[in-house]
Amino acid sequence: MKKTIILKIDSENPEPEKIGLAAGVIRQGGLVAFPTETVYGLGADALNSKAVRKIYAAKKRPLDNPIIVHVAKKEDVYRLAEDVPKFAENLMNHFWPGPLTLVLKASSIVPRVTTGGLDTIAIRMPSHKVALALIREARTPVAAPSANLAGRPSPTIAEHVIQDLYGRIDVILDAGPTNIGVESTVLDITRDPPQILRPGGTTYEELKEVLGKVSIHPAALAKSEIHVKYARSPGMKHKHYAPKAKVILVEGEFNAVINKVRELAEQHAKAGEKVGILATDESSSRYNVGIVKSLGSRRNLASAAKNLFKLFREFDEDKVDIIIAEGIPQEGLGLAVMNRLRRAAGYNIVKAD
Ligand code: TXA
Ligand code: MG
């Protein structure tokens, strides 16, 4: 087991000596977990294939699942990617730093292990001060998937990173909870119109306003698993975001959903299972079996995004056998939340009407 150094760091004014230490580890080919505005990332020098290989090993990540490259200045995009279209600049100006990842044609300086063997590269500029300071000081683009073991919910606090990766990586920078709570939106801009491969922190509505036209990959919306052949983003085909318990997602009109969740909860409790219910503020008082946790108000879907992964992990600690989750509206950040819920459920979705 590796000795993992855990450093508490100020999220607004990161201490230069702590950034210096972590950046040195990246430069020397080591692994550093750091906060972004979405979730914690596990960073390595994106241009050092040996370092990037360590990310896959630490996370037990399949080698065909490419890693997002994080930059602190837009100029880096022109070294890492080829044929950067004019509208990409427009997107960068609008949304960076922030939770938007752009998929572009990769340049030859990018090791193929970073892109999971693809000839495209996913790039983003995070808006967290610690992330930006770390990338700047490392003086190299930083490859960083979410800092969880493959398949587990993404980490929104340093404690989650410690649970999954302690002893497997060199440094963890702990700046407290992340702000958004779901990962960035992955947008493929090698196609016309651009296509959302993974809904995330930048909403469909915001992108549409800037781009005019934007499509959503069917797998990102789909209520059932997509055939591997059609998975444009390798991440689509891997099981994801899953708590240890089995998850059932109930979708439909609000009151019908509540009745269905109640019915399922009773059934499973009667069968001797420990039941968790993932509810909302508007509904949590209507359940009387199981451990009930609320994602927050249905009128504030940002709170659902922020709480989702943390609640998955809490249910694991409660050792529930099954989680019955209410579907929420698909607008704004709700789309990203529903995408994660459907995948966590392994597409085990019950329609309530
Ligand atoms: O918010 C985030 O994006 C976080 C923080 C740390 O920045 N990172 C993150 O990385 O969520 P990861 O590796 O957990 O998810 C990256 C997703 C995967 O679904 C992967 O398949 C997709 O992006 N991806 C990466 N490169 C791609 C490419 N060249 N083409 C298509 N999809 C790509
Ligand atoms: Mg991930």
Side-chain angles (χ1 to χ4, degrees):
M1 193 158 105
K2 242 184 215 265
K3 168 106 188 68
T4 302
I5 302 170
I6 302 170
L7 293 173
K8 285 225 187 299
I9 188 161
D10 191 304
S11 64
E12 281 308 306
N13 296 296
E15 297 86 340
E17 65 281 7
K18 295 178 184 170
I19 292 292
L21 183 148
V25 169
I26 300 251
R27 274 202 301 277
Q28 280 151 37
L31 300 183
V32 175
F34 62 97
T36 78
E37 76 280 27
T38 56
V39 300
Y40 275 76
L42 178 61
D45 179 351
L47 303 180
N48 175 343
S49 47
K50 213 170 137 208
V52 174
R53 246 177 241 120
K54 290 185 195 166
I55 295 181
Y56 288 91
K59 278 186 59 104
K60 305 187 181 165
R61 180 182 179 98
L63 274 161
D64 67 349
N65 196 2
I67 298 177
I68 296 172
V69 176
H70 296 66
V71 299
K73 51 182 199 298
K74 288 183 195 125
E75 295 86 272
D76 276 346
V77 173
Y78 300 88
R79 308 200 279 141
L80 297 166
E82 265 162 28
D83 313 331
V84 181
K86 192 80 198 142
F87 76 91
E89 276 170 40
N90 200 14
L91 285 170
M92 292 184 236
N93 291 334
H94 249 92
F95 295 104
W96 282 9
L100 178 66
T101 295
L102 300 177
V103 174
L104 290 148
K105 198 162 172 289
S107 80
S108 58
I109 69 162
V110 185
R112 283 308 180 256
V113 59
T114 303
T115 65
L118 299 178
D119 56 9
T120 53
I121 179 173
I123 311 178
R124 89 173 186 102
M125 187 191 292
S127 67
H128 198 290
K129 295 215 170 86
V130 171
L132 287 171
L134 176 69
I135 302 161
R136 236 177 254 131
E137 193 61 29
R139 300 195 289 274
T140 183
V142 172
S146 50
N148 50 280
L149 284 172
R152 298 272 299 139
S154 293
T156 56
I157 53 176
E159 184 56 36
H160 298 157
V161 183
I162 295 169
Q163 285 168 9
D164 280 17
L165 298 176
Y166 187 85
R168 307 176 66 82
I169 63 179
D170 299 297
V171 177
I172 299 173
L173 295 177
D174 175 2
T178 61
N179 190 31
I180 296 176
V182 290
E183 304 88 341
S184 63
T185 298
V186 178
L187 183 70
D188 181 353
I189 59 174
T190 65
R191 349 173 82 208
D192 185 22
Q195 187 174 54
I196 294 175
L197 302 180
R198 176 179 73 181
T202 300
T203 64
Y204 166 76
E205 292 87 343
E206 289 169 314
L207 286 170
K208 196 161 165 4
E209 206 170 300
V210 172
L211 288 169
K213 224 171 161 193
V214 54
S215 69
I216 307 181
H217 192 288
L221 287 173
K223 304 190 173 176
S224 61
E225 209 144 356
I226 185 136
H227 193 282
V228 172
K229 196 166 89 187
Y230 303 111
R232 289 186 57 85
S233 183
M236 284 174 186
K237 64 175 192 263
H238 297 292
K239 188 171 158 70
H240 244 90
Y241 315 116
K244 287 167 192 148
K246 196 174 138 203
V247 178
I248 302 178
L249 175 61
V250 181
E251 296 189 24
E253 183 270 319
F254 181 57
N255 279 299
V257 166
I258 294 177
N259 290 334
K260 190 47 124 184
V261 172
R262 287 173 62 115
E263 182 191 319
L264 288 168
E266 270 157 36
Q267 253 173 39
H268 284 272
K270 261 201 201 115
E273 285 176 85
K274 190 166 182 188
V275 175
I277 296 178
L278 191 57
T280 47
D281 289 355
E282 288 80 0
S283 59
S284 35
S285 66
R286 297 181 55 185
Y287 301 115
N288 43 28
V289 287
I291 301 174
V292 183
K293 297 184 196 285
S294 175
L295 282 169
S297 169
R298 288 177 169 261
R299 286 189 301 267
N300 177 10
L301 298 175
S303 72
K306 201 166 183 155
N307 293 326
L308 179 70
F309 290 140
K310 187 179 78 197
L311 295 183
F312 275 167
R313 283 184 188 250
E314 282 180 19
F315 277 127
D316 278 347
E317 277 163 30
D318 297 336
K319 299 207 159 51
V320 300
D321 301 300
I322 184 149
I323 299 169
I324 304 166
E326 288 177 9
I328 62 165
Q330 288 204 58
E331 317 123 30
L333 287 170
L335 180 64
V337 173
M338 285 301 282
N339 169 266
R340 307 309 185 267
L341 280 170
R342 287 175 182 144
R343 297 188 61 183
Y347 304 98
N348 187 357
I349 297 163
V350 174
K351 192 93 189 103
D353 14 44

